[in-house]
Amino acid sequence: MGAYLRSLETALRASASARDQALSTQLLQFDEPPYMPSMGDDPVRGERLRKAAEAAPLDHLVQWIWANAPDGASGCSAAKPCPGRGRALAALEPENGAAWIPAVARADDAHDVAATDDALAHMAAATQYDDKVRDLTQAWEDIVRRFPEPAASAIIPRLASGKSALATRDQEFLKSLVGMQGGSVLFSTIAVVKSCSTEGRCAADPRRSTYCAKAGRLVLDHGTTQGAVMMGAYALQSSGFATANDRERIRTAYWQIMQYTQLEHALEHNAAAARRFEPDTASDTEIGAMHEQLRRANVSLTPPAGWTYPEDPMRPVADCPR
């Protein structure tokens, strides 16, 4: 697979498409087994990504990739700054709460309290949450169709023209491709959690707590991945403004993710059982697929009365003055 990934990166670099160029900078963050992403500095790829973003200012996916890129792989530096990078997608999608996450991360990195609060306020006021997972999946699906694995090694079978659903093996490979960018997004989401967990925040300025609570509810309502839902739960839990209903929703989210993790571990070495619980391709979000798989395994989506997470993430958080 390593040889195929390298050949794919070469093909995308040769493309005239700014989107292909941007995606090529993500691909070789997986080099050799076990294909774990490397978040180290890469100025060469960073410069290519910056050029792609500048060439396609209205391509929402390219701007999302650029906004979430690590500083050392963004093409930006003290000598050649990019002050608007964190808000690259937010400028195009101001009503998208996910688009403000990189802005929070960049402001937090700069220790700019006012800018962090401003980005959190925009995130809290958003009416949508789209972290581009579906767009990334579609983009990589298109690339796999255009540049299939050679038949000799056949990791990815050639697909019939116009076929809308990929085989399970192809879907797993696509998940790994989408996951390549997940590390960058993770660092941005961690910044949101960190910003919402500042000690002494309530006494200093309760406004951030209200932003974090609203942003957390938005993500719990509309997040499509486990990572997003966990971020929303942490932000809301730490805000000091979680209601009894909020706490029950957070408890339910933890229960579902924990039960799903246990199910995955149980099926890890049982291929036949895993196929029985495989979600339909109609489940086009990670959360939707998780719910479907739990239902197929006869696992309740609702935690039993009295259930608490073993590490007690629902430990009491002092409420802010209201």
Side-chain angles (χ1 to χ4, degrees):
M1 185 183 288
Y4 172 61
L5 292 176
R6 287 189 289 274
S7 69
L8 189 55
E9 190 265 354
T10 299
L12 294 177
R13 283 179 57 188
S15 170
S17 163
R19 176 173 288 195
D20 284 353
Q21 291 288 329
L23 288 167
S24 77
T25 67
Q26 306 298 291
L27 193 57
L28 283 189
Q29 289 185 28
F30 278 50
D31 288 325
E32 298 297 339
Y35 304 108
M36 294 301 293
S38 169
M39 301 310 299
D41 292 351
D42 192 329
V44 175
R45 258 181 254 159
E47 184 62 26
R48 196 187 320 146
L49 177 57
R50 177 174 180 158
K51 288 180 179 178
E54 290 173 344
L58 299 182
D59 187 315
H60 294 221
L61 183 58
V62 171
Q63 297 306 313
W64 169 254
I65 293 171
W66 189 45
N68 280 290
D71 289 343
S74 66
C76 306
S77 63
K80 193 177 180 183
C82 314
R85 180 170 73 92
R87 301 192 176 208
L89 182 65
L92 299 175
E93 300 181 12
E95 295 301 316
N96 178 8
W100 290 98
I101 292 176
V104 175
R106 300 281 80 76
D108 181 71
D109 286 345
H111 306 290
D112 189 331
V113 175
T116 301
D117 284 340
D118 180 70
L120 283 169
H122 280 91
M123 185 178 176
T127 58
Q128 307 163 18
Y129 189 88
D130 177 8
D131 55 11
K132 303 303 173 190
V133 171
R134 185 179 286 107
D135 290 345
L136 273 169
T137 301
Q138 292 174 347
W140 283 118
E141 179 177 331
D142 172 66
I143 286 171
V144 168
R145 292 178 189 280
R146 287 188 286 133
F147 305 103
E149 175 75 2
S153 44
I155 292 174
I156 305 176
R158 289 183 176 272
L159 303 172
S161 176
K163 184 178 179 182
S164 59
L166 296 174
T168 299
R169 184 164 54 177
D170 301 322
Q171 291 176 345
E172 291 303 313
F173 185 73
L174 285 170
K175 285 179 185 177
S176 72
L177 291 175
V178 174
M180 292 179 188
Q181 212 233 335
S184 299
V185 177
L186 176 62
F187 281 98
S188 295
T189 58
I190 286 174
V192 173
V193 173
K194 175 173 172 283
S195 298
C196 289
S197 303
T198 304
E199 294 295 333
R201 180 187 59 252
C202 294
D205 187 347
R207 289 180 300 175
R208 182 177 293 192
S209 293
T210 65
Y211 302 152
C212 291
K214 290 179 180 178
R217 293 186 189 107
L218 173 76
V219 182
L220 279 178
D221 285 340
H222 301 291
T224 62
T225 66
Q226 294 180 44
V229 168
M230 291 298 288
M231 178 198 68
Y234 285 140
L236 179 53
Q237 173 186 319
S238 301
S239 71
F241 277 85
T243 66
N245 181 60
D246 290 333
R247 291 189 176 98
E248 184 58 26
R249 293 174 66 201
I250 294 170
R251 192 173 77 98
T252 298
Y254 283 129
W255 162 263
Q256 292 175 355
I257 290 173
M258 183 175 179
Q259 298 310 303
Y260 180 71
T261 300
Q262 291 178 344
L263 178 63
E264 280 197 318
H265 287 166
L267 299 177
E268 187 174 359
H269 301 296
N270 190 334
R275 281 193 293 273
R276 286 204 311 273
F277 298 127
E278 186 69 29
D280 293 332
T281 54
S283 298
D284 62 350
T285 69
E286 185 178 270
I287 292 297
M290 178 184 75
H291 288 172
E292 183 181 344
Q293 198 159 356
L294 288 174
R295 282 191 291 265
R296 290 189 175 197
N298 295 316
V299 177
S300 172
L301 298 183
T302 305
W307 179 86
T308 57
Y309 191 82
E311 295 181 3
D312 194 21
M314 293 301 295
R315 59 191 179 279
V317 177
D319 286 339
C320 294
R322 299 175 188 249

